[in-house]
Amino acid sequence: MNNNNQSTDKSKGLFADKALKSDAVAVENTSLLKPTAADNSYSNNDVSAHYSEPLSSSSLSPALVSTNANAEWSEKSPMTKKTIANGEALKLAVVGHTNTGKTSILRTLLRDVYFGEVKNEAATTRHVERAQLTDSQTGEVLVALYDTPGLEDASGLMDWLEDNTASRRDGIERLQQFLAADIAQGAERIDGSVYQDYSQEAKVIRQVLASDMAIYVVDAREPVLGKYKDELAILSWAAIPVMPVFNFTDSQDANIDDWQTMLARRNLHISTRFDSVAFEFEDEMHLWQNLATMLTHSEMLEQLMDSRAADWARLYDEANIIIADFLLNVAAFVREINEDDDPMPVLTQMQEAVRQSERTMQNKLLNSYKFYDNAVAATPLELKAYQQDPFDPELLKTYGIRTTSGAAAGALLGLGIDAAALGTTLGLGAALGGLAGGLLSNTSSIADKLTGVKRLYIDPATLTLLATRAMDLLTALRHRGHAATDATQMLYQDDGTTTHSSNPTQSDDAKNDSADNHSITPWPSHKLPSELKKARGKPQWSSLSSGKSELAQSLRMDATWSLANKLEAHKLAGD
């Protein structure tokens, strides 16, 4: 940093510069960009970065350091604290006891399973780690998030502060005195003995002093202990707004009432719930709203809330389009065979093509919601329900889906012509047989029957199953936090046998189509949406039939939008 600038480099922010100059870390302009895992619809909303303490530009490749990066701070380098009062991004420190889920909450807020390191052990985070939330439309950085190490021994630090700092001094001065002491560096005495190490606590306090506000992450399963009270007392000395955030609230062991009583006694009356595993988007909005009430300048948070809400709605629209496009592609799938040919080889090929198409659709949904790496975090696809063959007749029973009334399993309607009735009417002998495994043997016209041509389609029951399973997956993704490491850590713990709750707004036909009302289907299997019925007569709509993916997709585009709207309307009616 140029010494000529030091004399005029003064604090101008909403809160005064509180960090000791000799110990401050350049957190605003120094960043080591972290590569993103995949490009998707939510990628514009977060850019992760990491820095260690201390950070020197000489230790990094010039390509990885931002052009305005500051070098390691020295005693002569005062820290300029810019805040949202200047139109800068809100600096939000995420603090708390070790292993309470600070990194987990950030992963879910960022929709990024790669951010930080999550383990079921203490002190996983050893350095402050930085990430950004931006306006997806303008690219403007709205919030800078700082993941801090866990507070390991706040009670011991409180004892040191009481013994070594004067109580008549204000909290910031006492914290500054701690940061200037050798105990904050983990230094050795001359005689070789070592101070008790409070270097992790020092990293947290430095960041809190350099931030506009902090969220204090509480493991709601933990009882209220003295060490947590000491942590809150130390944080209160930093003179910035602190909001407790309850994590793991979905647990039956949550002690939120006890915590709220303790917090109220410390004048912490604003708190919120945000479960990093059982995610609810409304909880995220409440988090930002509650933070906004604690600031005199909340424009950045209000802009962030508008951006996040718009992105969340757009993401849902895109997911329904992905599902609708897949269903139309499968519904239009047709193969012709001669009447005397054995249908089983073609049937087997069609089944495999549909299985692959479903997996492609599922992966698109996973990528959209940034669940793209099973090695990092388990995904719903690891559940048994999504591994089962969609052409397994037993799976239809699990979802309570019936075949068409009056027909044997697999002998269904095609293009409005009942194969059995057609055979009887024309005096052509036995009706076309019911093909096992969810394929429809049907005749598209009397001419086809007379010329000995048979057309094979995917039957309505299987289409209904595929639609139901896709919508269940979408629901699971929207309620799953990015900190979940177990495939069963989700709202819908479906192992293939779990019953689905009944939809009170479902039509009578749809209810009758479900076994004991356990399965929520978007429509009765014998009443496919008009778009899927139309697809039966449009083999050119299916890339599975034509092999021309882009052309087929463009031809079915209007129908895709129409069907997507119906899928979304069905889901909204059931919420």
Side-chain angles (χ1 to χ4, degrees):
M1 178 176 293
N2 193 322
N3 290 334
N4 294 332
N5 296 329
Q6 293 176 10
S7 60
T8 59
D9 196 6
K10 298 180 180 179
S11 174
K12 302 176 182 178
L14 178 63
F15 301 102
D17 182 2
K18 300 179 289 297
L20 273 183
K21 297 176 183 179
S22 59
D23 291 288
V25 177
V27 296
E28 281 303 296
N29 296 322
T30 303
S31 63
L32 175 60
L33 295 182
K34 181 179 179 182
T36 57
D39 292 331
N40 53 64
S41 60
Y42 230 96
S43 60
N44 288 335
N45 253 30
D46 58 277
V47 178
S48 301
H50 172 268
Y51 66 87
S52 302
E53 299 179 331
L55 176 63
S56 173
S57 60
S58 61
S59 64
L60 300 175
S61 167
L64 295 178
V65 182
S66 58
T67 57
N68 63 340
N70 294 323
E72 180 181 350
W73 284 79
S74 66
E75 294 182 359
K76 297 181 180 180
S77 301
M79 180 177 179
T80 300
K81 181 174 171 53
K82 298 179 180 179
T83 71
I84 53 177
N86 308 82
E88 297 292 331
L90 171 75
K91 293 184 289 297
L92 179 63
V94 181
V95 301
H97 196 74
T98 183
N99 210 33
T100 55
K102 297 180 295 298
T103 302
S104 296
I105 281 180
L106 282 168
R107 281 188 172 185
T108 299
L109 285 175
L110 296 168
R111 320 284 191 258
D112 184 1
V113 296
Y114 287 102
F115 180 82
E117 185 177 6
V118 174
K119 291 183 179 179
N120 189 23
E121 58 186 50
T124 301
T125 300
R126 305 302 298 178
H127 302 285
V128 177
E129 196 162 354
R130 177 177 181 270
Q132 297 176 173
L133 292 177
T134 68
D135 187 315
S136 60
Q137 298 300 314
T138 66
E140 180 183 4
V141 179
L142 301 176
V143 176
L145 298 160
Y146 297 93
D147 187 17
T148 63
L151 294 167
E152 298 177 358
D153 188 9
S155 297
L157 176 56
M158 179 62 80
D159 291 339
W160 186 94
L161 289 167
E162 291 180 346
D163 293 340
N164 295 276
T165 63
S167 59
R168 68 177 62 92
R169 303 180 70 182
D170 65 33
I172 293 175
E173 292 174 331
R174 299 178 76 177
L175 293 179
Q176 288 175 336
Q177 185 175 344
F178 159 68
L179 292 176
D182 288 340
I183 195 173
Q185 318 304 324
E188 293 186 359
R189 295 179 185 271
I190 297 177
D191 60 7
S193 62
V194 182
Y195 282 117
Q196 189 172 358
D197 187 1
Y198 290 110
S199 59
Q200 292 300 98
E201 282 77 8
K203 294 175 183 178
V204 178
I205 291 172
R206 287 193 191 98
Q207 184 56 61
V208 170
L209 290 173
S211 298
D212 299 309
M213 63 192 317
I215 60 175
Y216 176 75
V217 180
V218 176
D219 185 340
R221 301 167 297 186
E222 285 287 301
V224 177
L225 302 176
K227 60 183 179 181
Y228 302 130
K229 299 176 183 179
D230 289 336
E231 289 170 0
L232 289 167
I234 293 171
L235 292 174
S236 70
W237 291 359
I240 64 172
V242 176
M243 185 181 75
V245 174
F246 294 105
N247 194 10
F248 308 116
T249 58
D250 203 44
S251 170
Q252 295 180 349
D253 300 325
N255 298 303
I256 295 178
D257 290 342
D258 293 341
W259 272 97
Q260 288 179 327
T261 299
M262 184 272 285
L263 293 171
R265 292 178 179 177
R266 283 157 179 77
N267 290 320
L268 294 171
H269 300 285
I270 299 178
S271 62
T272 194
R273 305 184 184 199
F274 186 83
D275 197 306
S276 59
V277 173
F279 173 69
E280 293 293 336
F281 184 73
E282 291 77 9
D283 289 345
E284 179 183 338
M285 289 295 100
H286 290 154
L287 185 152
W288 301 123
Q289 288 167 356
N290 288 345
L291 286 174
T293 64
M294 303 172 73
L295 293 172
T296 56
H297 298 276
S298 59
E299 294 83 2
M300 288 294 183
L301 287 180
E302 291 169 358
Q303 183 179 346
L304 178 67
M305 285 187 283
D306 290 342
S307 175
R308 301 284 277 186
D311 288 342
W312 190 248
R314 174 180 51 80
L315 195 58
Y316 186 51
D317 291 342
E318 292 175 354
N320 280 289
I321 289 173
I322 290 172
I323 294 173
D325 186 71
F326 157 71
L327 293 173
L328 287 165
N329 195 31
V330 172
F333 189 18
V334 59
R335 292 285 300 273
E336 292 184 356
I337 61 173
N338 293 325
E339 186 175 9
D340 296 332
D341 290 344
D342 182 2
M344 295 310 296
V346 176
L347 180 150
T348 301
Q349 293 173 6
M350 294 182 72
Q351 288 179 340
E352 184 57 31
V354 172
R355 292 186 191 101
Q356 293 180 8
S357 183
E358 184 188 30
R359 180 50 61 97
T360 298
M361 177 274 297
Q362 291 170 337
N363 285 332
K364 287 181 180 178
L365 292 179
L366 291 170
N367 289 338
S368 294
Y369 284 88
K370 301 188 76 171
F371 293 100
Y372 34 65
D373 192 340
N374 292 0
V376 176
T379 70
L381 288 185
E382 295 181 34
L383 297 176
K384 181 180 177 182
Y386 296 104
Q387 295 175 349
Q388 285 185 277
D389 186 353
F391 296 100
D392 182 354
E394 293 301 317
L395 191 58
L396 285 173
K397 295 180 182 179
T398 299
Y399 278 83
I401 298 175
R402 303 182 309 182
T403 57
T404 302
S405 176
L412 307 174
L413 301 181
L415 296 178
I417 300 175
D418 188 327
L422 178 63
T424 302
T425 301
L426 298 179
L428 298 177
L432 296 174
L435 296 180
L439 283 185
L440 166 64
S441 174
N442 76 65
T443 307
S444 63
S445 68
I446 296 177
D448 285 340
K449 180 64 182 177
L450 295 176
T451 56
V453 174
K454 289 196 292 189
R455 295 188 180 186
L456 306 181
Y457 297 87
I458 305 302
D459 73 84
T462 302
L463 282 172
T464 303
L465 169 63
L466 293 171
T468 305
R469 192 152 77 161
M471 295 178 70
D472 279 353
L473 175 59
L474 174 56
T475 299
L477 293 176
R478 288 171 59 83
H479 292 279
R480 179 175 174 79
H482 284 70
T485 56
D486 186 343
T488 62
Q489 289 177 326
M490 53 195 302
L491 186 63
Y492 296 86
Q493 299 183 21
D494 193 343
D495 61 357
T497 58
T498 303
T499 58
H500 301 260
S501 56
S502 178
N503 183 355
T505 64
Q506 202 172 14
S507 68
D508 291 337
D509 284 335
K511 289 180 179 179
N512 293 333
D513 199 49
S514 302
D516 299 325
N517 293 344
H518 286 162
S519 179
I520 301 175
T521 60
W523 50 72
S525 62
H526 62 285
K527 291 186 178 180
L528 292 180
S530 58
E531 294 83 0
L532 294 180
K533 291 180 179 179
K534 184 177 181 180
R536 290 287 197 216
K538 303 287 184 180
Q540 66 273 23
W541 284 10
S542 177
S543 61
L544 303 177
S545 300
S546 65
K548 299 177 180 179
S549 179
E550 293 184 4
L551 176 60
Q553 189 173 45
S554 65
L555 291 174
R556 63 178 183 262
M557 184 177 299
D558 289 342
T560 295
W561 281 90
S562 177
L563 181 58
N565 288 334
K566 290 182 178 180
L567 292 174
E568 188 165 344
H570 165 78
K571 178 57 184 173
L572 292 175
D575 286 340

